[in-house]
Amino acid sequence: MGADEYLTKPCRKDRLLARVSNILKRYEGRTNLIEGPDFLLDQQTYTLYIHNTSVVLPKNQGKLLVALLSGGDALVTTEQLCIALWGTTEYIDENALQVNLTRLKKTMSGLEMKQRIVAVRGMGYRLETGVAP
C-alpha cells in the first residue's frame, strides 16, 4: 500500500521520532517528485500519491502527465507531447496521441483530481485546475 515504515503499538516516542527522521532524510532533496495541489507524482516510477493512496500510472500516461505538469499553466504543444511519449514527431499518428490522452483523462477523473486536460484547438493542451467532480 505504499508504506515505507511501520511501528507496532505501543511504541516509544523516541523510536517514533527516529523513524520519522529517517524517512525525512531519505526523501530530502529528491528531485524526481513533482508536487501538485493535491498530489505528488514520482517521475521515475510514475507513481501518483493522491487522497491517501498511491497509484502506479501506465508508462505513457505517466509521461504525458509529467510533460503537462512540467508546462505549468503554459500550453504544451502536440509536438512536445509526442517527443515526451515517443522521442520523435516523425511518423506519429495524431490518433495515437488522442488515445493516450483520453486514457489519462479517464484515469484523472477516476482519481478525482482537481486538474483537467484542456485542448487548445490546433495548438496543444494545458492543465487547468478546477473543482473535482
Side-chain angles (χ1 to χ4, degrees), residues 17-125:
L17 292 174
R19 294 276 178 99
V20 170
S21 175
N22 187 23
I23 291 173
L24 290 174
K25 285 178 188 173
R26 269 191 272 163
Y27 287 97
E28 204 171 72
R30 288 186 59 175
T31 58
N32 61 318
L33 292 177
I34 298 176
E35 188 171 352
D38 60 345
F39 65 89
L40 281 174
L41 176 66
D42 186 332
Q43 296 181 71
Q44 292 178 338
T45 63
Y46 304 122
T47 303
L48 188 65
Y49 301 97
I50 184 168
H51 306 304
N52 296 322
T53 187
S54 62
V55 177
V56 178
L57 298 175
K59 189 175 181 180
N60 284 352
Q61 290 182 32
K63 287 180 179 181
L64 284 173
L65 188 55
V66 167
L68 289 165
L69 288 169
S70 297
D73 292 336
L75 180 78
V76 180
T77 66
T78 303
E79 290 79 22
Q80 290 171 314
L81 292 175
C82 286
I83 289 171
L85 272 179
W86 299 292
T88 184
T89 58
E90 294 181 23
Y91 310 111
I92 301 298
D93 183 10
E94 180 73 24
N95 289 332
L97 179 60
Q98 290 299 321
V99 167
N100 284 289
L101 283 167
T102 300
R103 289 177 180 161
L104 178 58
K105 288 178 185 179
K106 185 176 179 182
T107 299
M108 291 171 68
S109 177
L111 293 171
E112 297 180 356
M113 290 181 73
K114 293 178 183 175
Q115 295 75 21
R116 297 286 174 254
I117 299 171
V118 177
V120 179
R121 190 173 177 93
M123 297 180 73
Y125 301 86

